[in-house]
Amino acid sequence: MRNVQRPAVTAVVAAAVLLLAAGCSGPDENAPGGRRGSAPASEAPDGGSASPSGDAAGSGSRAEPPPAKGSVKVVSTLTEDLESPWGLAPLPDGDLLVSSRDEGTITRIDGESGKKTEVGSVAGVAPEGEGGLMGLAVSPSFASDHMVYAYFTTASDNRIARLAYDEEKPAGQQLGAPDTILRGIPKGTVHNGGRIAFGPDKMLYAGTGETGDTGLAQDKESLGGKILRMTPDGDPVHGNPDADSVVYSYGHRNVQGLAWDSEKRLWAAEFGQNTWDELNQIRPGRNYGWPEAEGKGGKEGFVDPVAQWKTSEASPSGIAYAAGSVWMAGLRGERLWRIPLDGTEPVAGPQPFLEEKYGRLRTVVAAGGDKLWLVTNETDTRGTPGPGDDRILNLEVK
């Protein structure tokens, strides 16, 4: 049972939740009871960053693998009373930017006091179902360009835009107009993907969904059901599998977690349908199987996940890398998973933490060393919000 106090759910609310789940065109991964260029080449063939000499980055002495068993300590609650939080992006000074999926706003959170200041609204956001204002990323050159990147749903598509952030303007008016760098990502009431992150190569990566149209995942001409890689201007990167395309990998159902390990290898979390959720190690040009494969099937031509979970135990969204492990936030599973790694192989089976203590968990972000930020997600219409929801937690992990 959760240790955050919850009000009783009336029969009317319960019936409404069931009706919402039943109204989806297919299983909904977020439902509580159901399923839901022109830049220089900078990627080695295995998906790790390449050094100028062409040798794999991080070669040489290898770090000791983490222990089989870890630990999680909730150090503090940074802030509370967030509405449908989704994306979280640390600023260079230690503060955080958090997006509201349904309100279409970005809020700044003081990294020490937790004080909230609304930065502004993102023009053009059209929330619907699992769509709205989702992933956020801060430019690698933020100190000079002051750009914030956002992945969001409009009336016609999902797209990625950058917005100038002027802290000198009044609260609520600090965002410039969206400058769209990539449009035409398919949208739906479900499976919109939404995570964006800058990689070690300073290129922008995005996880997309197939919107419930499973055929898009295997269609290399579609941006749906993919992991994308682009320059900060939205152009294909020289070194992508197809020089004229931002598509980096395909065969995905709904990617909402992206993170890099200490050797600069890319990892992604992905919603399964009825059987297996997945953690994948991403390599350029590879096919991750959906809809032909779900979980570890050993099918020729498809990449098997490194780890998998029953859909009732995960429904993974954000992931982060810290202390030698990938940490994965679970929505339906209402827990934080630890996957300790020795290279690309698990040291031990996944270990759950915070089970049903804070409800649905949407986003987890590395905060340096053994620290993580964790965002709860009870106010996204699929949870049972109580006093204080939603919140950002400060974690210490091993």
Side-chain angles (χ1 to χ4, degrees):
M1 295 296 293
R2 302 186 53 186
N3 65 5
V4 179
Q5 187 176 5
R6 302 282 169 209
V9 181
T10 66
V12 172
V13 173
V17 172
L18 291 173
L19 180 59
L20 176 63
C24 293
S25 59
D28 180 3
E29 62 269 47
N30 287 320
R35 280 303 292 168
R36 3 164 222 112
S38 56
S42 53
E43 285 292 310
D46 65 354
S49 231
S51 69
S53 66
D55 296 330
S59 59
S61 60
R62 185 171 180 176
E64 287 294 319
K69 298 295 183 182
S71 65
V72 171
K73 177 183 178 182
V74 179
V75 177
S76 64
T77 298
L78 177 64
T79 196
E80 297 183 332
D81 299 315
L82 298 172
E83 178 62 36
S84 61
W86 210 103
L88 189 72
L91 291 167
D93 66 358
D95 287 357
L96 303 169
L97 295 179
V98 60
S99 64
S100 170
R101 186 195 69 183
D102 297 340
E103 295 185 336
T105 57
I106 297 176
T107 298
R108 183 170 182 151
I109 311 296
D110 187 288
E112 295 184 356
S113 70
K115 178 184 177 182
K116 300 189 290 289
T117 303
E118 185 172 314
V119 172
S121 298
V122 178
V125 173
E128 181 183 10
E130 295 174 9
L133 178 57
M134 294 176 282
L136 296 179
V138 171
S139 168
S141 306
F142 183 82
S144 58
D145 63 26
H146 305 289
M147 287 292 177
V148 175
Y149 288 71
Y151 182 119
F152 58 95
T153 310
T154 73
S156 59
D157 63 0
N158 285 304
R159 62 183 60 177
I160 301 170
R162 57 189 171 193
L163 305 95
Y165 175 24
D166 186 348
E167 301 174 37
E168 301 301 317
K169 291 187 176 181
Q173 302 175 33
Q174 297 173 344
L175 289 180
D179 173 20
T180 299
I181 65 166
L182 184 70
R183 67 182 72 238
I185 302 170
K187 61 167 280 189
T189 56
V190 295
H191 309 175
N192 287 286
R195 194 69 60 187
I196 56 174
F198 280 96
D201 56 2
K202 298 185 179 181
M203 297 297 108
L204 183 64
Y205 293 73
T208 73
E210 33 78 306
T211 72
D213 181 354
T214 59
L216 297 183
Q218 293 293 323
D219 180 358
K220 294 183 183 180
E221 300 300 316
S222 172
L223 298 179
K226 308 292 189 297
I227 292 175
L228 312 177
R229 176 177 180 249
M230 67 201 79
T231 71
D233 295 325
D235 297 321
V237 183
H238 180 63
N240 276 3
D242 184 334
D244 297 323
S245 174
V246 295
V247 172
Y248 192 65
S249 63
Y250 66 108
H252 299 288
R253 185 170 182 265
N254 192 23
V255 176
Q256 289 188 2
L258 298 172
W260 288 262
D261 64 21
S262 58
E263 297 296 318
K264 303 181 181 180
R265 291 177 291 247
L266 175 59
W267 296 82
E270 180 169 348
F271 292 96
Q273 184 172 27
N274 296 314
T275 310
W276 298 113
D277 292 325
E278 301 178 356
L279 176 70
N280 287 293
Q281 200 268 302
I282 302 301
R283 300 184 177 214
R286 300 297 180 87
N287 185 345
Y288 287 80
W290 181 254
E292 304 301 324
E294 181 182 356
K296 296 180 180 180
K299 293 186 177 181
E300 185 177 354
F302 301 140
V303 180
D304 275 352
V306 173
Q308 63 184 24
W309 294 260
K310 294 179 181 179
T311 55
S312 60
E313 297 177 345
S315 292
S317 188
I319 62 172
Y321 181 83
S325 299
V326 169
W327 301 84
M328 188 179 81
L331 290 165
R332 183 183 171 196
E334 297 190 359
R335 66 201 75 181
L336 179 69
W337 286 98
R338 173 186 184 262
I339 305 94
L341 297 171
D342 182 5
T344 60
E345 297 297 325
V347 171
Q351 184 181 6
F353 294 95
L354 309 179
E355 294 181 64
E356 299 184 337
K357 289 185 177 180
Y358 295 95
R360 295 159 55 78
L361 306 179
R362 170 65 72 180
T363 296
V364 58
V365 173
D370 60 353
K371 300 295 193 299
L372 295 174
W373 296 115
L374 180 65
V375 181
T376 70
N377 205 205
E378 286 289 289
T379 59
D380 71 341
T381 74
R382 304 245 166 63
T384 307
D389 282 328
D390 271 309
R391 60 199 78 211
I392 299 175
L393 306 174
N394 177 16
L395 307 183
E396 182 179 285
V397 300
K398 293 181 181 178

